[in-house]
């Protein structure tokens, strides 16, 4: 099965942006020798903090997760918009470090000698609400620092960067440090996501500003780590269609080239990943293609590939799954901290068994922990699955889900001894970072005795919304998608049963996948999925 997602490598020595049309939000990256590693936000999904690997900065694949589960019991249930925010990955003296914030709990660090292997249990570096976007920095004199930002929803203010010293083992702050830059008084509102580097005697802090959808990339510099810092806007949207180009990582190659990885918010699909060439002029970076007569750059759509000394095969993160492995594929995450009892891999049969986990009838589908989800892999696609529903028990519901601010599902439910086709539609709402949801279930028809059913989820881009008139987005020149569900009894003839407009999420792109739950007394059964095929 061809299971690759979007491919950026054009096969002629060039690449196209985005390099990943997938919601790897708030990316950060490093190079260690000939290997590049990238991490991204994961919020309440587990396993948490995806780790991607590349040999050429263009072709990437997921190799691991830093956290098996998120600390704290509250994450046994979905906490949409909370959990693990923007992480930073660094390498120092043989050890890989990932610093990550949880805005309600504090700043954490996890370490390893082998990024493909087991990461240490996270240690809390700073306990308290509102500190976000940490980046450690080892200075030439051996001291260790951490630059970070603040979440207004927890602190009451934002747009300020903070610098504090860490203990040499990085496991605790020496003190709470000091404010080193105030974007509120410099026109750099919503400055956050800082990444610290040093070059030619200058300390640099790369930081996005202006807001996710409409912002730009700012760089601060000083010859004293404590400041004062001067600043310059080094990448803007300009006349391109790449809105809000910012937040990411400066990475160099083995041959001395400089590149910048960043995201673009494309609403329902989330924050997709771009790669920009980077140059230096008078010790200031210019990211992208230099704008005529300006000190900043604008994003490129296509470019020659980075010079890493070799040519590597084209590849991409997994999308489709035939469930032939002994472990769950790395494209999958659960809707909350998971339990191994929720599923079983059947490599000989090439299926996955999803057990019907008890669910309160008052809990929305979007707040169900055992949703098995993956990020969108293309701008538009068709996802197909085949379910064996012979092991369902009374009160079980199993099917295919699309989870976003607007969400829906198509499923088989066993009620009063009869299998029925079920449609679920719902909507999440947010009050600051707290999410709530409501949904509506509708029985479409009673099914004759059947063993297998086929479900299809189509995501199609359209010029503008056609189903709902509501449009609360900040800007208009972004993709619009229609999400639809269909079913088939033979895998050939599909009948559409629902369609709705995709909605921009709360920092999170729409995901789709599978589920199985049980409502009522008695013991739940299970469903087996034979495949989950993605076709662009």
């Amino acid at each position: 099965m061809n299971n690759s997602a979007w491919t950026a490598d054009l096969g002629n020595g060039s690449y196209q942006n985005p390099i990943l049309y997938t919601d790897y939000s708030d990316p950060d990256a490093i190079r260690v020798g000939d290997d590049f590693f990238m991490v991204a936000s994961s919020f309440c999904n587990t396993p948490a903090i995806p780790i991607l690997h590349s040999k050429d900065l263009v072709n990437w694949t997921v190799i691991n997760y830093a956290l098996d589960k998120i600390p704290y019991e509250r994450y046994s249930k979905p906490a949409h918009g909370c959990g693990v925010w923007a992480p930073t990955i660094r390498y120092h003296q043989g050890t890989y470090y990932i610093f990550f914030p949880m805005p309600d709990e504090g700043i954490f660090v996890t370490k390893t000698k082998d990024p493909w292997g087991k990461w240490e249990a996270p240690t809390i570096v700073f306990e308290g609400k509102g500190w976000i976007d940490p980046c450690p920095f080892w200075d030439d004199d051996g001291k260790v620092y951490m630059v970070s930002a603040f979440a207004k929803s927890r602190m009451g203010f934002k747009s300020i960067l903070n610098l504090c010293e860490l203990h040499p083992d990085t496991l605790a702050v020496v003190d709470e440090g000091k404010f080193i830059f105030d974007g509120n008084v410099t026109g750099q509102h919503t400055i956050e996501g800082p990444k610290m580097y040093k070059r030619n005697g200058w300390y640099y802090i790369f930081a996005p500003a202006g807001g996710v959808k409409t912002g730009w990339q700012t760089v601060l510099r000083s010859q004293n780590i404590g400041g004062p810092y001067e600043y310059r806007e080094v990448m803007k949207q300009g006349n391109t269609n790449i809105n809000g180009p910012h937040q990411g990582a400066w990475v160099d190659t083995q041959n001395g080239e400089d590149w910048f990885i960043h995201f673009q918010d494309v609403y329902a699909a989330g924050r997709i990943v771009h790669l920009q060439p980077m140059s230096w002029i008078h010790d200031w970076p210019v990211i992208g293609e230099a704008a005529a007569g300006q000190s900043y750059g604008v994003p490129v759509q296509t470019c020659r590939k980075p010079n890493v000394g070799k040519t590597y095969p084209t590849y991409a993160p997994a999308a489709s799954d035939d469930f032939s492995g002994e472990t769950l594929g790395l494209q999958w995450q659960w809707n909350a901290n998971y339990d191994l009892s929720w599923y079983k891999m059947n490599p000989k049969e090439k299926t996955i068994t999803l057990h019907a986990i008890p669910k309160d009838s008052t809990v929305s589908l979007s707040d169900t922990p055992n949703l098995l989800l993956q990020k969108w892999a293309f701008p538009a696609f068709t996802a197909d699955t085949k379910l064996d529903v012979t092991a369902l028990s009374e009160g079980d519901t199993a099917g295919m889900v699309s989870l976003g601010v607007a969400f829906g599902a198509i499923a088989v439910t066993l009620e009063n001894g009869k299998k029925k086709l079920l449609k679920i539609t719902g909507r999440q709402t947010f009050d600051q970072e707290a999410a709530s949801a409501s949904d509506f279930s509708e029985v479409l028809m009673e099914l004759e005795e059947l063993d297998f059913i086929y479900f299809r989820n189509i995501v199609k881009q359209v010029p503008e919304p056609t189903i709902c008139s509501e449009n609360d987005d900040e800007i208009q020149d972004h993709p619009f998608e229609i999400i639809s569900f269909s079913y088939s009894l033979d895998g050939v003839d599909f009948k559409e049963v629902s369609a709705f407009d995709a909605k921009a999420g709360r920092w999170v792109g729409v995901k789709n996948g599978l589920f199985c739950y049980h409502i009522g007394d008695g013991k739940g059964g299970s469903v087996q999925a034979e495949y989950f095929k993605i076709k662009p």
Side-chain angles (χ1 to χ4, degrees):
M1 179 184 296
N2 181 3
N3 68 348
S4 293
W6 167 274
T7 301
D9 196 325
L10 297 176
N12 59 2
S14 299
Y15 71 92
Q16 63 176 337
N17 273 316
I19 54 172
L20 293 163
Y21 203 103
T22 306
D23 182 35
Y24 291 112
S25 178
D26 313 316
D28 186 46
I30 57 170
R31 178 179 63 85
V32 180
D34 293 333
D35 296 291
F36 299 92
F37 300 95
M38 185 195 308
V39 293
S41 299
S42 52
F43 300 98
C44 70
N45 299 115
T46 63
I49 312 182
I51 302 171
L52 293 87
H53 173 260
S54 176
K55 283 289 191 178
D56 60 8
L57 284 172
V58 172
N59 297 284
W60 293 86
T61 189
V62 183
I63 62 166
N64 202 356
Y65 288 87
L67 303 180
D68 187 48
K69 296 179 183 178
I70 304 172
Y72 301 98
E73 177 60 28
R74 67 175 290 205
Y75 295 101
S76 62
K77 298 179 180 179
H80 302 292
C82 302
V84 178
W85 286 16
T88 295
I89 184 168
R90 289 293 181 267
Y91 178 78
H92 181 69
Q93 294 183 352
T95 298
Y96 294 83
Y97 297 76
I98 294 177
F99 275 63
F100 65 92
M102 295 174 59
D104 295 308
E105 290 87 10
I107 301 295
F108 298 78
V109 62
T110 178
K111 307 177 185 180
T112 189
K113 298 288 187 181
D114 175 15
W116 281 268
K118 185 73 174 177
W119 288 71
E120 293 180 5
T123 298
I124 191 163
V125 176
F126 172 83
E127 186 171 5
K129 286 190 174 186
W131 282 40
I132 59 170
D133 305 347
C135 176
F137 176 78
W138 287 262
D139 207 350
D140 299 333
D141 60 4
K143 290 187 175 181
V144 190
Y145 298 89
M146 181 178 74
V147 61
S148 57
F150 299 100
K152 184 177 180 180
S153 57
R154 274 71 169 185
M155 300 290 287
F157 64 87
K158 64 175 183 177
S159 306
I160 292 176
L161 302 183
N162 189 71
L163 182 74
C164 64
E165 187 177 348
L166 300 178
H167 287 285
D169 61 8
T170 74
L171 299 182
V173 297
V174 173
D175 53 45
E176 294 191 10
K178 67 174 185 176
F179 296 168
I180 57 170
F181 188 80
D182 188 345
N184 297 293
V185 299
T186 56
Q188 301 299 306
H189 62 90
T190 320
I191 195 164
E192 56 189 359
K195 302 294 186 289
M196 180 170 275
Y197 309 93
K198 194 173 186 179
R199 177 185 183 273
N200 288 351
W202 291 96
Y203 296 91
Y204 291 92
I205 299 175
F206 285 54
V212 169
K213 295 179 176 67
T214 57
W216 55 86
Q217 181 67 33
T218 294
V219 168
L220 320 178
R221 75 174 188 181
S222 175
Q223 292 191 321
N224 185 323
I225 194 169
Y229 282 86
E230 54 184 327
Y231 70 93
R232 179 175 290 185
E233 295 170 8
V234 299
M235 180 173 60
K236 297 183 180 182
Q237 178 177 354
N239 293 323
T240 75
N241 63 356
I242 302 174
N243 60 290
H246 60 43
Q247 179 130 347
W250 163 28
V251 185
D252 67 354
T253 70
Q254 304 91 315
N255 294 299
E257 293 182 350
D258 294 301
W259 295 83
F260 188 74
I261 290 174
H262 68 94
F263 73 68
Q264 174 196 13
D265 191 307
V266 288
Y267 292 79
R271 300 176 180 181
I272 60 177
V273 184
H274 292 243
L275 176 67
Q276 304 296 336
M278 192 174 108
S279 58
W280 292 88
I281 300 177
H282 304 306
D283 285 321
W284 283 107
V286 176
I287 298 175
E289 181 180 2
Q294 303 294 332
S295 59
Y296 61 83
V298 296
V300 299
Q301 190 63 60
T302 59
C303 188
R304 66 168 181 82
K305 291 174 62 177
N307 180 5
V308 294
K310 297 180 182 178
T311 299
Y312 292 94
T314 298
Y315 54 89
S320 297
D321 200 340
D322 61 5
F323 301 118
S324 61
E326 295 188 356
T327 58
L328 195 60
L330 291 174
Q331 69 266 48
W332 296 106
Q333 292 176 286
W334 300 93
N335 203 28
N337 276 344
Y338 69 94
D339 192 288
L340 291 174
S341 66
W342 291 357
Y343 73 101
K344 178 186 176 184
M345 303 302 299
N346 310 303
K348 290 184 179 179
E349 295 82 8
K350 295 186 178 180
T351 64
I352 183 174
T353 299
L354 298 179
H355 298 291
I357 305 305
K359 173 182 175 297
D360 191 305
S361 61
T362 63
V363 173
S364 166
L365 178 65
S366 69
D367 293 329
T368 301
N370 64 312
L371 305 184
L372 181 60
L373 304 168
Q374 65 168 260
K375 305 170 187 294
W376 284 4
F378 297 96
F381 62 89
T382 298
D384 284 327
T385 192
K386 179 183 179 182
L387 300 183
D388 180 340
V389 295
T390 56
L392 291 180
S393 297
E394 182 72 22
D396 288 355
T397 300
M400 186 180 236
V401 60
S402 174
L403 181 63
V405 166
F407 62 89
I410 186 170
V412 173
T413 187
L414 186 59
E415 185 180 75
N416 298 322
K418 300 289 185 179
K419 290 173 183 171
K420 301 175 181 179
L421 186 67
L422 189 70
K423 177 179 76 172
I424 304 173
T425 55
R427 181 70 182 257
Q428 295 186 68
T429 58
F430 288 86
D431 177 13
Q432 294 293 330
E433 277 64 49
S436 61
S438 60
D439 58 26
F440 174 75
S441 299
E442 178 185 356
V443 173
L444 299 176
M445 61 183 291
E446 188 173 299
L447 298 165
E448 298 295 331
E449 188 62 33
L450 83 161
D451 295 337
F452 301 94
I453 193 165
Y454 302 80
F455 289 140
R456 174 169 288 173
N457 174 206
I458 297 177
V459 175
K460 180 170 63 174
Q461 287 195 343
V462 294
E464 59 185 25
T466 57
I467 296 175
C468 305
S469 60
E470 175 190 356
N471 185 5
D472 54 3
D473 297 326
E474 294 178 29
I475 59 175
Q476 304 303 311
D477 57 345
H478 64 82
F480 294 107
E481 295 92 359
I482 299 294
I483 298 171
S484 65
F485 283 104
S486 306
Y487 78 96
S488 173
L489 300 181
D490 60 9
V492 177
D493 296 320
F494 282 83
K495 182 177 180 180
E496 183 178 298
V497 299
S498 69
F500 54 93
D501 290 335
K503 291 293 178 184
R506 186 69 165 181
W507 311 303
V508 178
V510 180
K511 304 181 187 70
N512 63 340
L514 303 168
F515 68 94
C516 185
Y517 62 73
H518 175 81
I519 294 177
D521 298 330
K523 184 178 180 181
S526 63
V527 68
Q528 283 195 352
E530 290 193 12
Y531 53 74
F532 197 88
K533 296 178 182 177
I534 305 289
K535 296 180 181 179

